[in-house]
Amino acid sequence: MRTSNKLIALILSALSINLFQTSAKAAEIPATFTFQGIGYGHGVGMSQIGARAKALAGESATAILQYYYSGTNIETATDTQILRINIGHLLTSAKVRSDSNGAQLQIFSGDISDTQTSAPIFTFPSKTTLNLSLINNLISLTATRGSKNTAISSGSAFTLRWTGTRYLEGPNSIVSLTSGSTLNRYRHGQMVFKVIRDKNLGKRIEIINSVRLADEYLWGVSEVPSSWPAAALEAQAIASRTYALAKANKLRSACDCHLYATISDQTFAGFSKESEPRFGELWKSAVNRTSGQIISYAGQPITAYFTSSSGGATETSEHAWGTATPYTVSVPDTASVDTALNPRFASWVREISQAIIAQAFLLPDVVSLNVLEMNPAGTVALIEAISSNGNTAVLRGETFRSRSKLPSAWFSLKQ
């Protein structure tokens, strides 16, 4: 059968139109989006860059805190509570080891409370690696010393104690925790290894360090450089103590902890912070000098939010997250936009991939973004995404900032 030239021409024309439309559609979906902005963090409460600038200008920790937390007072409270700090989240494996001379470590079955005593199921010396693996939804424990491997036990929860702590007499010992490529060191408290079900990933290992708020926890909080002026360190110590105290009464089911050791709450580096060469003792001294001091409003401890820097004025909790607090009003924060004081984030540009932007809005793709509304402090209030299928989604600026990993919500779209 012969195909007419006219029919061939029609087929080629249709193919050409289809290819053109497909190519045009592909071109309409950007591979990346570019943003420019100012500041780092949510911008609510104390600006750490601003606190440093005020300390350099001779202001006291109290003056700094009362500037950023309007209408507050500095009071004294009990801070001897034991906090459960999540130091390993959603893990399938980890390694624990101490190389301290004379160290002895003990493993107990179950989640042993701070005051509970029990007989250990396994005791091992320094230079022995404890291996944790998630096998059949349980934690499998083995120990490696040299070329010798020893099976210990399998279960849903275990507790680790070591010498030189409140729990076990003996030489001071440093315990290293390795998960993936991350290694942190811990001197105080005890560790709990526990299986918890995540709604998306299923069973995973959570690792919790139980430490005393007053010293064991605060000495390890790593939020600002320990080389900063004393008043800035003291302001941070008081803010960190207050923030932790506000979280001390409720355990989170997702981690069986009071606080995460990450920027989800405040960074807790453990012994790695207090043992910093030259400057670690300066941070510990700031914690000790401010012993028990907290920030209060109307006689109650506040939730002392703090941020690295802002876009020139701090943000309110209402505009960031939708919940107003009387002590987080917006105040000028000029240090944050000073390139000498904030060289990394007084101005920034970021290129974010299509995949991350689409995931942020829960859309199949994003062809365009539109800033719909701005907050008085200069942050993006609402941002809209439009998909190639015509669907739209709108996010609060701070939510979008967090999901897309932008430094702050003080941003604009760069054309």
Side-chain angles (χ1 to χ4, degrees):
M1 180 185 294
R2 296 179 62 188
T3 304
S4 70
N5 290 338
K6 185 175 181 180
L7 179 59
I8 292 172
L10 287 172
I11 292 171
L12 290 174
S13 176
L15 286 172
S16 177
I17 291 170
N18 185 59
L19 287 170
F20 173 79
Q21 289 176 337
T22 301
S23 176
K25 183 177 179 181
E28 291 170 359
I29 302 175
T32 61
F33 292 85
T34 303
F35 305 84
Q36 57 188 9
I38 308 167
Y40 184 84
H42 51 64
V44 179
M46 183 180 71
S47 160
Q48 292 165 324
I49 292 293
R52 177 175 179 265
K54 288 181 174 296
L56 288 170
E59 295 192 37
S60 68
T62 297
I64 293 168
L65 294 170
Q66 291 180 329
Y67 177 78
Y68 286 109
Y69 304 106
S70 301
T72 60
N73 294 301
I74 306 301
E75 298 183 0
T76 301
T78 300
D79 62 352
T80 56
Q81 297 89 337
I82 302 299
L83 300 177
R84 290 171 67 95
I85 312 301
N86 184 274
I87 57 174
H89 187 46
L90 299 177
L91 304 179
T92 57
S93 64
K95 294 181 182 295
V96 178
R97 176 185 175 97
S98 177
D99 288 330
S100 301
N101 291 331
Q104 187 179 78
L105 298 88
Q106 296 181 339
I107 291 288
F108 300 82
S109 182
D111 185 346
I112 306 299
S113 71
D114 184 62
T115 58
Q116 189 175 350
T117 59
S118 182
I121 61 171
F122 189 73
T123 299
F124 58 98
S126 65
K127 297 180 175 55
T128 303
T129 301
L130 179 69
N131 308 293
L132 289 72
S133 300
L134 186 68
I135 300 176
N136 296 326
N137 291 330
L138 294 174
I139 301 170
S140 174
L141 293 182
T142 62
T144 302
R145 184 172 177 82
S147 60
K148 182 180 179 181
N149 294 312
T150 303
I152 301 173
S153 185
S154 181
S156 59
F158 296 94
T159 301
L160 175 71
R161 291 176 174 173
W162 56 92
T163 51
T165 62
R166 290 175 283 113
Y167 308 101
L168 191 60
E169 292 183 355
N172 290 346
S173 305
I174 311 303
V175 172
S176 298
L177 169 65
T178 303
S179 57
S181 59
T182 302
L183 183 148
N184 271 313
R185 299 182 298 154
Y186 302 93
R187 162 73 181 83
H188 309 288
Q190 64 177 16
M191 288 186 193
V192 172
F193 315 130
K194 201 165 194 175
V195 174
I196 294 180
R197 178 179 292 279
D198 179 75
K199 62 181 180 180
N200 296 318
L201 299 175
K203 296 289 185 68
R204 288 294 185 268
I205 301 172
E206 301 293 324
I207 302 180
I208 303 115
N209 187 198
S210 294
V211 284
R212 188 169 50 219
L213 168 56
D215 43 20
E216 297 172 350
Y217 175 67
L218 287 176
W219 287 345
V221 169
S222 184
E223 277 291 334
V224 296
S226 301
S227 58
W228 277 14
L233 297 183
E234 291 168 4
Q236 183 63 60
I238 296 169
S240 290
R241 181 183 293 108
T242 308
Y243 183 88
L245 190 63
K247 302 288 184 179
N249 294 322
K250 184 178 180 180
L251 282 172
R252 305 179 191 184
S253 59
C255 60
D256 197 25
C257 70
H258 296 108
L259 296 132
Y260 287 96
T262 64
I263 58 172
S264 298
D265 284 307
Q266 51 187 352
T267 304
F268 174 70
F271 189 71
S272 300
K273 175 65 174 180
E274 64 177 279
S275 64
E276 289 173 337
R278 294 178 56 202
F279 298 114
E281 285 299 323
L282 297 180
W283 170 246
K284 288 180 65 177
S285 295
V287 170
N288 297 342
R289 281 196 306 274
T290 61
S291 177
Q293 293 181 33
I294 63 161
I295 312 160
S296 68
Y297 183 89
Q300 297 297 318
I302 70 169
T303 302
Y305 301 112
F306 47 83
T307 189
S308 174
S309 56
S310 72
T314 62
E315 185 54 282
T316 68
S317 60
E318 179 179 15
H319 288 145
W321 305 303
T323 303
T325 49
Y327 45 82
T328 55
V329 302
S330 180
V331 297
D333 182 41
T334 55
S336 286
V337 294
D338 185 328
T339 54
L341 295 169
N342 192 19
R344 293 182 61 196
F345 295 104
S347 176
W348 51 261
V349 175
R350 292 290 187 277
E351 191 173 83
I352 308 298
S353 71
Q354 166 71 216
I356 291 175
I357 299 297
Q359 179 59 38
F361 286 97
L362 303 180
L363 290 171
D365 56 50
V366 173
V367 296
S368 66
L369 293 170
N370 303 299
V371 173
L372 301 179
E373 186 179 331
M374 301 293 290
N375 289 315
T379 58
V380 171
L382 296 173
I383 183 170
E384 175 191 55
I386 302 174
S387 178
S388 63
N389 61 15
N391 289 341
T392 63
V394 176
L395 290 176
R396 187 184 293 273
E398 175 58 25
T399 302
F400 173 71
R401 188 279 299 187
S402 178
R403 291 183 181 180
S404 62
K405 309 303 182 187
L406 285 175
S408 80
W410 281 274
F411 67 81
S412 61
L413 297 164
K414 190 174 181 181
Q415 302 301 325

